mmCIF file of all heavy atoms in Angstrom:
data_model
loop_
_atom_site.group_PDB
_atom_site.id
_atom_site.type_symbol
_atom_site.label_atom_id
_atom_site.label_comp_id
_atom_site.label_asym_id
_atom_site.label_seq_id
_atom_site.Cartn_x
_atom_site.Cartn_y
_atom_site.Cartn_z
ATOM 1 N N VAL A 88 -47.084 -81.420 39.602
ATOM 2 C CA VAL A 88 -45.771 -81.656 38.998
ATOM 3 C C VAL A 88 -46.002 -82.262 37.620
ATOM 4 O O VAL A 88 -46.606 -83.326 37.496
ATOM 5 C CB VAL A 88 -44.901 -82.592 39.853
ATOM 6 C CG1 VAL A 88 -43.512 -82.742 39.224
ATOM 7 C CG2 VAL A 88 -44.789 -82.073 41.278
ATOM 8 N N VAL A 225 -37.775 -89.281 35.595
ATOM 9 C CA VAL A 225 -36.999 -89.626 36.785
ATOM 10 C C VAL A 225 -37.088 -88.506 37.814
ATOM 11 O O VAL A 225 -37.320 -88.730 39.007
ATOM 12 C CB VAL A 225 -35.526 -89.917 36.419
ATOM 13 C CG1 VAL A 225 -34.668 -90.016 37.677
ATOM 14 C CG2 VAL A 225 -35.425 -91.200 35.620
ATOM 15 N N ASP A 226 -36.920 -87.282 37.361
ATOM 16 C CA ASP A 226 -36.988 -86.139 38.275
ATOM 17 C C ASP A 226 -38.385 -86.013 38.873
ATOM 18 O O ASP A 226 -38.552 -85.758 40.075
ATOM 19 C CB ASP A 226 -36.618 -84.856 37.534
ATOM 20 C CG ASP A 226 -36.366 -83.703 38.490
ATOM 21 O OD1 ASP A 226 -37.351 -83.079 38.936
ATOM 22 O OD2 ASP A 226 -35.193 -83.434 38.795
ATOM 23 N N ARG A 227 -39.406 -86.192 38.041
ATOM 24 C CA ARG A 227 -40.788 -86.084 38.519
ATOM 25 C C ARG A 227 -41.084 -87.137 39.588
ATOM 26 O O ARG A 227 -41.741 -86.847 40.595
ATOM 27 C CB ARG A 227 -41.749 -86.243 37.346
ATOM 28 C CG ARG A 227 -43.217 -86.053 37.698
ATOM 29 C CD ARG A 227 -44.059 -86.007 36.438
ATOM 30 N NE ARG A 227 -45.444 -85.743 36.719
ATOM 31 C CZ ARG A 227 -46.387 -86.681 36.821
ATOM 32 N NH1 ARG A 227 -46.049 -87.968 36.648
ATOM 33 N NH2 ARG A 227 -47.628 -86.366 37.085
ATOM 34 N N ALA A 228 -40.607 -88.354 39.376
ATOM 35 C CA ALA A 228 -40.810 -89.403 40.372
ATOM 36 C C ALA A 228 -40.168 -89.029 41.700
ATOM 37 O O ALA A 228 -40.732 -89.244 42.781
ATOM 38 C CB ALA A 228 -40.230 -90.720 39.851
ATOM 39 N N PHE A 229 -38.986 -88.441 41.625
ATOM 40 C CA PHE A 229 -38.311 -87.994 42.841
ATOM 41 C C PHE A 229 -39.111 -86.916 43.551
ATOM 42 O O PHE A 229 -39.300 -86.959 44.771
ATOM 43 C CB PHE A 229 -36.915 -87.497 42.481
ATOM 44 C CG PHE A 229 -36.184 -86.847 43.625
ATOM 45 C CD1 PHE A 229 -35.917 -87.543 44.782
ATOM 46 C CD2 PHE A 229 -35.754 -85.527 43.527
ATOM 47 C CE1 PHE A 229 -35.243 -86.949 45.833
ATOM 48 C CE2 PHE A 229 -35.077 -84.928 44.573
ATOM 49 C CZ PHE A 229 -34.813 -85.640 45.730
ATOM 50 N N ARG A 230 -39.610 -85.926 42.797
ATOM 51 C CA ARG A 230 -40.381 -84.832 43.413
ATOM 52 C C ARG A 230 -41.641 -85.358 44.075
ATOM 53 O O ARG A 230 -42.031 -84.904 45.160
ATOM 54 C CB ARG A 230 -40.752 -83.787 42.359
ATOM 55 C CG ARG A 230 -39.596 -83.211 41.568
ATOM 56 C CD ARG A 230 -38.560 -82.518 42.416
ATOM 57 N NE ARG A 230 -37.362 -82.246 41.617
ATOM 58 C CZ ARG A 230 -36.269 -81.691 42.102
ATOM 59 N NH1 ARG A 230 -36.195 -81.346 43.370
ATOM 60 N NH2 ARG A 230 -35.227 -81.489 41.309
ATOM 61 N N LEU A 231 -42.303 -86.303 43.437
ATOM 62 C CA LEU A 231 -43.531 -86.839 44.006
ATOM 63 C C LEU A 231 -43.247 -87.637 45.282
ATOM 64 O O LEU A 231 -44.054 -87.624 46.216
ATOM 65 C CB LEU A 231 -44.260 -87.693 42.979
ATOM 66 C CG LEU A 231 -44.810 -86.916 41.773
ATOM 67 C CD1 LEU A 231 -45.432 -87.868 40.763
ATOM 68 C CD2 LEU A 231 -45.826 -85.867 42.209
ATOM 69 N N ARG A 232 -42.090 -88.325 45.328
ATOM 70 C CA ARG A 232 -41.723 -89.006 46.559
ATOM 71 C C ARG A 232 -41.432 -88.007 47.666
ATOM 72 O O ARG A 232 -41.806 -88.203 48.820
ATOM 73 C CB ARG A 232 -40.489 -89.890 46.328
ATOM 74 C CG ARG A 232 -40.797 -91.308 45.915
ATOM 75 C CD ARG A 232 -41.570 -92.093 46.973
ATOM 76 N NE ARG A 232 -40.897 -92.088 48.264
ATOM 77 C CZ ARG A 232 -39.944 -92.929 48.598
ATOM 78 N NH1 ARG A 232 -39.512 -93.839 47.735
ATOM 79 N NH2 ARG A 232 -39.406 -92.875 49.804
ATOM 80 N N VAL A 233 -40.751 -86.922 47.333
ATOM 81 C CA VAL A 233 -40.472 -85.873 48.320
ATOM 82 C C VAL A 233 -41.785 -85.311 48.858
ATOM 83 O O VAL A 233 -41.950 -85.104 50.061
ATOM 84 C CB VAL A 233 -39.614 -84.752 47.704
ATOM 85 C CG1 VAL A 233 -39.517 -83.560 48.646
ATOM 86 C CG2 VAL A 233 -38.219 -85.269 47.376
ATOM 87 N N LEU A 234 -42.730 -85.054 47.960
ATOM 88 C CA LEU A 234 -44.031 -84.521 48.376
ATOM 89 C C LEU A 234 -44.744 -85.496 49.292
ATOM 90 O O LEU A 234 -45.308 -85.100 50.327
ATOM 91 C CB LEU A 234 -44.883 -84.243 47.132
ATOM 92 C CG LEU A 234 -46.302 -83.727 47.390
ATOM 93 C CD1 LEU A 234 -46.275 -82.392 48.104
ATOM 94 C CD2 LEU A 234 -47.071 -83.619 46.073
ATOM 95 N N ALA A 235 -44.713 -86.780 48.968
ATOM 96 C CA ALA A 235 -45.405 -87.782 49.783
ATOM 97 C C ALA A 235 -44.762 -87.933 51.152
ATOM 98 O O ALA A 235 -45.449 -88.077 52.165
ATOM 99 C CB ALA A 235 -45.426 -89.122 49.052
ATOM 100 N N GLY A 238 -43.892 -83.479 52.403
ATOM 101 C CA GLY A 238 -44.866 -82.400 52.270
ATOM 102 C C GLY A 238 -44.441 -81.335 51.279
ATOM 103 O O GLY A 238 -43.353 -81.373 50.690
ATOM 104 N N GLN A 241 -41.076 -79.223 51.821
ATOM 105 C CA GLN A 241 -39.840 -79.896 51.442
ATOM 106 C C GLN A 241 -39.741 -80.012 49.918
ATOM 107 O O GLN A 241 -38.655 -79.908 49.343
ATOM 108 C CB GLN A 241 -39.757 -81.284 52.067
ATOM 109 C CG GLN A 241 -38.411 -81.955 51.834
ATOM 110 C CD GLN A 241 -38.248 -83.236 52.623
ATOM 111 O OE1 GLN A 241 -39.085 -83.566 53.457
ATOM 112 N NE2 GLN A 241 -37.186 -83.966 52.365
ATOM 113 N N LEU A 242 -40.885 -80.214 49.253
ATOM 114 C CA LEU A 242 -40.877 -80.260 47.793
ATOM 115 C C LEU A 242 -40.313 -78.965 47.215
ATOM 116 O O LEU A 242 -39.443 -78.981 46.336
ATOM 117 C CB LEU A 242 -42.300 -80.483 47.276
ATOM 118 C CG LEU A 242 -42.508 -80.316 45.762
ATOM 119 C CD1 LEU A 242 -41.739 -81.377 44.998
ATOM 120 C CD2 LEU A 242 -43.992 -80.367 45.419
ATOM 121 N N LEU A 243 -40.796 -77.837 47.694
ATOM 122 C CA LEU A 243 -40.330 -76.551 47.185
ATOM 123 C C LEU A 243 -38.867 -76.305 47.548
ATOM 124 O O LEU A 243 -38.122 -75.703 46.777
ATOM 125 C CB LEU A 243 -41.208 -75.425 47.726
ATOM 126 C CG LEU A 243 -42.682 -75.471 47.289
ATOM 127 C CD1 LEU A 243 -43.483 -74.379 47.997
ATOM 128 C CD2 LEU A 243 -42.813 -75.329 45.780
ATOM 129 N N ALA A 244 -38.466 -76.778 48.712
ATOM 130 C CA ALA A 244 -37.094 -76.547 49.166
ATOM 131 C C ALA A 244 -36.080 -77.385 48.405
ATOM 132 O O ALA A 244 -34.890 -77.069 48.413
ATOM 133 C CB ALA A 244 -36.987 -76.834 50.662
ATOM 134 N N THR A 245 -36.529 -78.462 47.737
ATOM 135 C CA THR A 245 -35.584 -79.345 47.056
ATOM 136 C C THR A 245 -35.566 -79.137 45.552
ATOM 137 O O THR A 245 -35.004 -79.957 44.827
ATOM 138 C CB THR A 245 -35.914 -80.826 47.350
ATOM 139 O OG1 THR A 245 -37.280 -81.094 46.988
ATOM 140 C CG2 THR A 245 -35.692 -81.153 48.803
ATOM 141 N N LEU A 246 -36.170 -78.061 45.053
ATOM 142 C CA LEU A 246 -36.001 -77.749 43.642
ATOM 143 C C LEU A 246 -34.515 -77.552 43.368
ATOM 144 O O LEU A 246 -33.789 -76.991 44.190
ATOM 145 C CB LEU A 246 -36.780 -76.485 43.270
ATOM 146 C CG LEU A 246 -38.300 -76.545 43.447
ATOM 147 C CD1 LEU A 246 -38.932 -75.232 43.001
ATOM 148 C CD2 LEU A 246 -38.901 -77.707 42.684
ATOM 149 N N ASP A 247 -34.066 -77.985 42.225
ATOM 150 C CA ASP A 247 -32.627 -78.002 41.952
ATOM 151 C C ASP A 247 -32.116 -76.619 41.568
ATOM 152 O O ASP A 247 -31.652 -76.387 40.461
ATOM 153 C CB ASP A 247 -32.324 -78.996 40.844
ATOM 154 C CG ASP A 247 -30.830 -79.278 40.748
ATOM 155 O OD1 ASP A 247 -30.119 -79.041 41.736
ATOM 156 O OD2 ASP A 247 -30.391 -79.726 39.693
ATOM 157 N N THR A 248 -32.255 -75.700 42.462
ATOM 158 C CA THR A 248 -31.745 -74.349 42.286
ATOM 159 C C THR A 248 -31.673 -73.727 43.670
ATOM 160 O O THR A 248 -32.192 -74.284 44.632
ATOM 161 C CB THR A 248 -32.666 -73.532 41.348
ATOM 162 O OG1 THR A 248 -32.071 -72.264 41.081
ATOM 163 C CG2 THR A 248 -34.030 -73.339 41.946
ATOM 164 N N LEU A 276 -45.366 -77.192 38.619
ATOM 165 C CA LEU A 276 -43.921 -77.351 38.649
ATOM 166 C C LEU A 276 -43.517 -78.241 37.481
ATOM 167 O O LEU A 276 -44.028 -79.352 37.335
ATOM 168 C CB LEU A 276 -43.482 -77.982 39.972
ATOM 169 C CG LEU A 276 -43.863 -77.234 41.243
ATOM 170 C CD1 LEU A 276 -43.362 -77.991 42.476
ATOM 171 C CD2 LEU A 276 -43.320 -75.810 41.236
ATOM 172 N N PRO A 278 -40.300 -79.897 35.705
ATOM 173 C CA PRO A 278 -38.878 -80.199 35.524
ATOM 174 C C PRO A 278 -38.515 -80.156 34.042
ATOM 175 O O PRO A 278 -39.252 -80.649 33.196
ATOM 176 C CB PRO A 278 -38.724 -81.606 36.104
ATOM 177 C CG PRO A 278 -40.105 -82.173 36.159
ATOM 178 C CD PRO A 278 -41.042 -81.025 36.275
ATOM 179 N N PHE A 300 -38.007 -75.671 36.214
ATOM 180 C CA PHE A 300 -36.769 -75.742 36.991
ATOM 181 C C PHE A 300 -35.915 -76.866 36.426
ATOM 182 O O PHE A 300 -36.425 -77.795 35.781
ATOM 183 C CB PHE A 300 -37.068 -75.971 38.473
ATOM 184 C CG PHE A 300 -37.780 -77.266 38.764
ATOM 185 C CD1 PHE A 300 -37.079 -78.420 39.068
ATOM 186 C CD2 PHE A 300 -39.169 -77.325 38.729
ATOM 187 C CE1 PHE A 300 -37.730 -79.611 39.328
ATOM 188 C CE2 PHE A 300 -39.836 -78.512 38.995
ATOM 189 C CZ PHE A 300 -39.115 -79.655 39.294
ATOM 190 N N PRO A 301 -34.596 -76.808 36.614
ATOM 191 C CA PRO A 301 -33.709 -77.801 35.998
ATOM 192 C C PRO A 301 -33.846 -79.174 36.625
ATOM 193 O O PRO A 301 -33.865 -79.312 37.844
ATOM 194 C CB PRO A 301 -32.308 -77.221 36.231
ATOM 195 C CG PRO A 301 -32.467 -76.337 37.425
ATOM 196 C CD PRO A 301 -33.851 -75.774 37.358
ATOM 197 N N VAL A 302 -33.954 -80.191 35.784
ATOM 198 C CA VAL A 302 -33.960 -81.550 36.305
ATOM 199 C C VAL A 302 -32.625 -81.828 36.970
ATOM 200 O O VAL A 302 -31.584 -81.319 36.562
ATOM 201 C CB VAL A 302 -34.214 -82.591 35.187
ATOM 202 C CG1 VAL A 302 -35.581 -82.400 34.564
ATOM 203 C CG2 VAL A 302 -33.140 -82.530 34.134
ATOM 204 N N VAL A 303 -32.661 -82.641 38.005
ATOM 205 C CA VAL A 303 -31.431 -83.000 38.701
ATOM 206 C C VAL A 303 -30.445 -83.628 37.735
ATOM 207 O O VAL A 303 -29.246 -83.410 37.814
ATOM 208 C CB VAL A 303 -31.743 -83.979 39.852
ATOM 209 C CG1 VAL A 303 -30.458 -84.508 40.477
ATOM 210 C CG2 VAL A 303 -32.594 -83.300 40.907
ATOM 211 N N MET A 304 -30.974 -84.405 36.777
ATOM 212 C CA MET A 304 -30.113 -85.134 35.871
ATOM 213 C C MET A 304 -29.881 -84.398 34.566
ATOM 214 O O MET A 304 -29.222 -84.897 33.675
ATOM 215 C CB MET A 304 -30.743 -86.481 35.580
ATOM 216 C CG MET A 304 -31.161 -87.118 36.867
ATOM 217 S SD MET A 304 -31.170 -88.850 36.963
ATOM 218 C CE MET A 304 -30.950 -89.411 35.342
ATOM 219 N N ALA A 338 -37.216 -94.615 43.670
ATOM 220 C CA ALA A 338 -38.266 -93.626 43.899
ATOM 221 C C ALA A 338 -39.617 -94.282 44.006
ATOM 222 O O ALA A 338 -40.514 -93.796 44.684
ATOM 223 C CB ALA A 338 -38.280 -92.598 42.764
ATOM 224 N N TRP A 351 -28.910 -89.432 45.053
ATOM 225 C CA TRP A 351 -29.188 -88.687 43.811
ATOM 226 C C TRP A 351 -28.097 -87.667 43.548
ATOM 227 O O TRP A 351 -27.606 -87.532 42.446
ATOM 228 C CB TRP A 351 -30.536 -87.992 43.976
ATOM 229 C CG TRP A 351 -31.194 -87.602 42.706
ATOM 230 C CD1 TRP A 351 -30.941 -86.522 41.936
ATOM 231 C CD2 TRP A 351 -32.259 -88.298 42.056
ATOM 232 N NE1 TRP A 351 -31.769 -86.488 40.860
ATOM 233 C CE2 TRP A 351 -32.597 -87.566 40.917
ATOM 234 C CE3 TRP A 351 -32.965 -89.459 42.342
ATOM 235 C CZ2 TRP A 351 -33.601 -87.946 40.056
ATOM 236 C CZ3 TRP A 351 -33.974 -89.845 41.490
ATOM 237 C CH2 TRP A 351 -34.268 -89.101 40.361
ATOM 238 N N ARG A 352 -27.744 -86.910 44.598
ATOM 239 C CA ARG A 352 -26.714 -85.888 44.436
ATOM 240 C C ARG A 352 -25.367 -86.532 44.097
ATOM 241 O O ARG A 352 -24.594 -86.000 43.315
ATOM 242 C CB ARG A 352 -26.580 -85.068 45.726
ATOM 243 C CG ARG A 352 -27.858 -84.346 46.114
ATOM 244 C CD ARG A 352 -28.213 -83.272 45.126
ATOM 245 N NE ARG A 352 -29.470 -82.635 45.492
ATOM 246 C CZ ARG A 352 -30.011 -81.640 44.823
ATOM 247 N NH1 ARG A 352 -29.421 -81.173 43.745
ATOM 248 N NH2 ARG A 352 -31.154 -81.104 45.208
#
Side-chain angles (χ1 to χ4, degrees):
V88 183
V225 169
D226 193 279
R227 184 171 184 263
F229 173 60
R230 305 300 168 183
L231 293 176
R232 269 297 305 275
V233 171
L234 178 62
Q241 187 171 353
L242 170 65
L243 297 175
T245 55
L246 298 182
D247 193 21
T248 186
L276 302 180
F300 62 92
V302 297
V303 173
M304 312 210 349
W351 200 280
R352 300 293 178 178

